[in-house]
């Protein structure tokens, strides 16, 4: 595939991932469950893609860098943790931080094992 | 009030821009160092600048419009940063001090951006 086409497809996949993340963000309660879910689904997808189906390098790049990258987010995790901290909810802030680190890791390992 | 489909369209546009820019940054840094050094540098660059930028959007007057928030905050800053690549990094390289440092610095930079935006909002009020 031409470099430019890969670049454009990464944009389309990244946009689609972001829309899914925005929709998942509505599952919000005592903790940002939708955010955990988005990051875990993205990590799970990456784990599954790298362990499972045979894809050409270009499609793999589009799906991992584009879709999973757009679906997962570091900045929103920092925002969620900071918002709790700012309102004096230190326990929720800490769980959000640690959860965003470990839950996607578990998702990635599970996806790689269950492929 | 803009309808929901239009707001998601802004998220899509911002997300597309964020993902493409992140890809370019990773490609550019890949030319400067070898794996895994470049991957870690690129992760630091996108995640920390993205967290700082999202912090600015939280209070900065321009970003208070719902369309701007969806385009630049949810879409662009959300997609520009990545957790999946970081998770994959941890899976390959182990959970080290560099990852903890990235989380701590991300939190601090988000806070810094938040304060900058808040000051700008106060000046305008």
């Amino acid at each position: 595939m031409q470099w430019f086409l890969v670049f454009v497809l990464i944009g389309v996949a990244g946009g689609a991932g972001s829309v899914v993340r925005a929709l998942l963000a509505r599952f919000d309660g005592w903790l940002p469950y939708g955010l955990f879910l988005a990051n875990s689904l993205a990590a799970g997808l990456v784990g599954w893609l790298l362990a499972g189906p045979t894809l050409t390098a270009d499609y793999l790049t589009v799906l991992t860098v584009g879709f999973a990258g757009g679906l997962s987010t570091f900045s929103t995790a920092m925002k969620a943790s900071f918002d709790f901290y700012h309102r004096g909810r230190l326990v929720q802030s800490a769980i959000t931080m640690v959860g965003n680190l470990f839950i996607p890791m578990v998702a990635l390992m599970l996806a790689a094992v269950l492929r | 009030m803009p309808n929901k489909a239009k707001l998601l369209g802004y998220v899509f546009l911002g997300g597309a821009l964020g993902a493409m820019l992140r890809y370019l940054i990773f490609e550019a840094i890949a030319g400067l160092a070898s794996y895994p050094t470049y991957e870690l540098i690129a992760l630091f660059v996108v995640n920390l600048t993205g967290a700082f930028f999202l912090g600015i959007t939280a209070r900065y007057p321009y970003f208070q419009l719902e369309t701007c928030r969806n385009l630049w905050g949810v879409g662009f800053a959300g997609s520009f940063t990545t957790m999946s690549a970081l998770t994959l990094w941890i899976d390959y390289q182990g959970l080290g001090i560099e990852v903890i440092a990235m989380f701590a610095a991300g939190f601090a930079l988000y806070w810094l951006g938040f304060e900058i935006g808040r000051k700008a909002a106060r000046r305008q009020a």
Side-chain angles (χ1 to χ4, degrees), chain B:
Chain B
M1 173 121 175
N3 64 46
K4 217 176 109 186
K6 193 177 158 195
L7 286 177
L8 285 178
Y10 278 103
V11 171
F12 181 89
L13 191 62
L17 283 175
M20 289 182 346
L21 187 59
R22 170 163 43 77
Y23 176 66
L24 287 182
I25 289 175
F26 267 74
E27 289 292 295
I29 294 178
L32 301 176
S34 58
Y35 184 86
T37 314
Y38 95 80
E39 179 93 6
L40 187 64
I41 296 171
L43 279 170
F44 262 94
V45 169
V46 297
N47 281 348
L48 296 188
T49 50
F52 175 66
F53 180 71
L54 188 66
I56 290 178
T57 69
R59 285 286 187 275
Y60 203 88
Y62 169 77
F63 297 104
Q64 298 316 301
L65 269 176
E66 210 170 1
T67 48
C68 293
R69 187 188 292 279
N70 276 274
L71 176 64
W72 295 113
V74 181
F76 180 78
S79 176
F80 181 64
T81 60
T82 174
M83 191 68 86
S84 55
L86 182 60
T87 309
L88 191 62
W89 159 273
I90 297 169
D91 190 52
Y92 284 159
Q93 310 292 332
L95 178 60
I97 187 75
E98 67 281 354
V99 177
I100 310 295
M102 193 187 296
F103 270 71
F107 188 89
L109 281 167
Y110 179 90
W111 193 345
L112 181 65
F114 180 88
E115 293 297 338
I116 290 171
R118 190 152 77 162
K119 262 189 192 149
R122 278 209 197 110
R123 266 201 307 273
Q124 213 178 61

Side-chain angles (χ1 to χ4, degrees), chain A:
Chain A
M1 220 190 292
Q2 284 195 333
W3 182 87
F4 187 72
L5 185 59
V6 175
F7 181 61
V8 171
L9 286 179
I10 284 173
V12 174
S18 299
V19 169
V20 174
R21 171 164 45 76
L23 293 172
L24 287 175
R26 284 184 295 176
F27 299 111
D28 195 19
W30 195 73
L31 285 172
Y33 305 109
L35 175 65
F36 288 151
L37 193 57
N39 280 337
S40 302
L41 283 175
L45 177 68
V46 169
W48 181 73
L49 283 172
L50 292 179
T54 326
L55 286 171
T56 64
D58 288 337
Y59 285 113
L60 196 63
T61 306
V62 168
L63 287 173
T64 53
V65 177
F67 188 76
L71 178 60
S72 72
T73 176
F74 177 84
S75 57
T76 313
M78 295 304 111
K79 176 187 171 64
S81 183
F82 177 80
D83 285 349
F84 282 132
Y85 172 80
H86 196 60
R87 285 181 282 157
R89 299 177 178 180
L90 300 186
V91 174
Q92 281 151 289
S93 173
I95 296 176
T96 301
M97 200 71 142
V98 175
N100 269 299
L101 182 57
F102 286 104
I103 299 172
M105 277 170 63
V106 174
L108 188 143
M109 287 170 193
L110 275 180
V113 170
L114 298 176
R115 70 189 165 83

